[in-house]
Amino acid sequence: MAVVCIGTASLIIALSVFNGLEGLLKSMYGNFDPDMIITPAEGKSFLYQESDIQQMESVDGIVGISKVIEDNALLRYKNSQRVVRMKGVGRAFDQFSGIQNVVVSGDFGLIRDSLGYALIGRGVQYDLSINLSSDFYALQLYYPRNIGPGIVNPNKIYNVLRILPGGVFAIEKYYDENYIFVPIEFAKDLFGYDGRLTAYELYLEQNANPKQIKADLMQHFGNEFTVLEGNELHSDLYKILKIEKLFIFLILVAIIGIASINIFFSLTMLVIEKQKDIAILFAQGASRKLIRNIFILEGGIIALSGTVGGLILGLGVSLLQQEYGIVGIGINSAVMNSYPIKIHVSDVILTVLAISIITLTASLQPAFKASNTYSTSALQ
């Protein structure tokens, strides 16, 4: 019974941790990603058309549309420099984006008092030692122009613009160390994207149907554009998590299956010890089916007791971790200080079914052996 109890608890805890990790990733990326994004199927930019905006505004469920210009640029601050991913966003970003929830210093707004400001990742700030409280030093951003023959003045081979840092965000290592946000007008001037965009980012109503909205947009944009929604933005990562969760489940089930051999041998020894009692039951008219059911019921009692005990232990540990964060991740810079936990009812049901099937299967052979065991010598 202890084997079944520990196995059940281990499955509940392991699956809940993977659920928590998936929820944590969705929460982090939800602060950065829009609900839906439209990008060109080929190339990195496309010509902006007002008819596209009108079409998107006519679709039910879309509450915000942000024009986006995104590309790599060289960022210089004082005597330090590095390449960053600069993302110019429209006004809807300020209103609907969840990134304001992860601003750790400074202010969120990209435009304040008619002045543009940059929102930078915490890793970028650390690398360049950017001081938000100083207005004497601005961020200098460089982007190469379309270079042609005969240019000898190096100042003409790149665009350079300056902008003050306004705030710092902290989401996840990759974004923190690479991204900065600026007003789309600033990005347009730096990149020289006259009438061109790299994406539309859409924000949806809370109860909107993303699949229906995607289908409506695909009819308008056709094959020249790619429309991604929700989990599709990081589908590979979520698939990896689900595969890992599946393998952990199978491995633990296999371990429990091996451990259930103890149940098999325990019931087999019980059959040997109870041969006289079995013979007496046969002599009193008991059928083979009754004898078989007695030992199957014994296995069922072991399965039920172990499963219930494991559920109490597993759910108890999971709830304690969820509420108090007893087990820490051990990384000072982690997004969370302790392992995230999220309990799914479907995982509990799947665990109970798997444990029950394994335990009852281990009980079948001894039960059939008991039903076929009858010797008058056992009565002597």
Side-chain angles (χ1 to χ4, degrees), residues 15-32:
L15 296 179
S16 297
V17 169
F18 273 95
N19 295 334
L21 290 173
E22 184 177 357
L24 175 62
L25 288 175
K26 289 182 178 180
S27 175
M28 288 192 310
Y29 292 138
N31 291 324
F32 183 90

Side-chain angles (χ1 to χ4, degrees), residues 331-349:
I331 303 176
N332 293 331
S333 60
V335 177
M336 295 188 67
N337 295 324
S338 59
Y339 281 99
I341 290 285
K342 187 174 183 180
I343 301 170
H344 286 175
V345 176
S346 58
D347 291 334
V348 175
I349 295 174

Side-chain angles (χ1 to χ4, degrees), residues 165-178:
V168 177
F169 67 86
I171 299 176
E172 185 265 340
K173 182 178 180 182
Y174 173 76
Y175 296 125
D176 297 348
E177 294 183 351
N178 291 280

Side-chain angles (χ1 to χ4, degrees), residues 41-286:
E42 296 182 0
K44 65 179 183 180
S45 66
F46 59 92
L47 285 173
Y48 162 73
Q49 296 183 17
E50 188 63 31
S51 60
D52 293 338
I53 299 293
Q54 295 173 355
Q55 175 64 31
M56 288 184 285
E57 289 177 343
S58 66
V59 177
D60 291 336
I62 297 178
V63 295
I65 303 170
S66 175
K67 303 171 188 175
V68 176
I69 298 177
E70 181 177 344
D71 208 340
N72 294 326
L74 177 66
L75 173 61
R76 185 176 182 181
Y77 184 79
K78 296 183 181 179
N79 296 322
S80 302
Q81 62 184 26
R82 59 162 298 177
V83 175
V84 295
R85 189 71 175 174
M86 193 182 82
K87 187 171 182 178
V89 292
R91 302 295 180 269
F93 179 83
D94 287 357
Q95 183 177 358
F96 299 105
S97 173
I99 202 169
Q100 64 264 34
N101 300 323
V102 291
V103 173
V104 294
S105 60
D107 297 318
F108 165 69
L110 297 179
I111 296 181
R112 303 192 297 272
D113 299 328
S114 301
L115 295 177
Y117 290 87
L119 185 64
I120 61 178
R122 183 165 56 181
V124 176
Q125 182 194 25
Y126 288 165
D127 282 353
L128 303 182
S129 301
I130 298 173
N131 184 5
L132 296 182
S133 61
S134 175
D135 293 336
F136 294 102
Y137 295 98
L139 305 176
Q140 302 177 49
L141 288 139
Y142 296 81
Y143 188 77
R145 297 178 180 175
N146 293 325
I147 303 172
I151 296 178
V152 294
N153 185 351
N155 292 328
K156 293 184 178 181
I157 66 175
Y158 57 81
N159 294 330
V160 57
L161 292 176
R162 292 169 176 81
I163 188 171
L164 288 173
V168 177
F169 67 86
I171 299 176
E172 185 265 340
K173 182 178 180 182
Y174 173 76
Y175 296 125
D176 297 348
E177 294 183 351
N178 291 280
Y179 270 85
I180 71 169
F181 293 91
V182 297
I184 192 168
E185 295 83 3
F186 181 89
K188 177 182 176 182
D189 292 339
L190 180 67
F191 295 145
Y193 274 30
D194 187 15
R196 302 188 70 85
L197 301 173
T198 59
Y200 292 116
E201 292 188 348
L202 311 181
Y203 300 94
L204 310 181
E205 293 178 352
Q206 186 174 1
N207 298 323
N209 185 347
K211 296 186 182 301
Q212 181 59 49
I213 294 175
K214 179 179 178 179
D216 294 341
L217 293 174
M218 288 297 296
Q219 289 182 356
H220 172 73
F221 287 100
N223 297 328
E224 297 181 359
F225 289 82
T226 301
V227 181
L228 298 177
E229 53 90 7
N231 296 339
E232 293 177 347
L233 300 174
H234 301 282
S235 58
D236 292 340
L237 179 59
Y238 295 140
K239 285 179 182 178
I240 291 173
L241 272 178
K242 291 186 182 298
I243 291 173
E244 289 180 347
K245 179 180 176 180
L246 175 62
F247 273 99
I248 289 296
F249 175 79
L250 293 177
I251 290 171
L252 288 176
V253 166
I255 293 173
I256 295 169
I258 295 172
S260 65
I261 295 175
N262 291 330
I263 299 174
F264 168 80
F265 283 117
S266 296
L267 290 177
T268 301
M269 292 299 297
L270 184 63
V271 171
I272 295 173
E273 291 176 2
K274 299 297 182 180
Q275 281 189 350
K276 185 174 182 180
D277 297 322
I278 295 172
I280 292 173
L281 289 174
F282 272 126
Q284 292 179 341

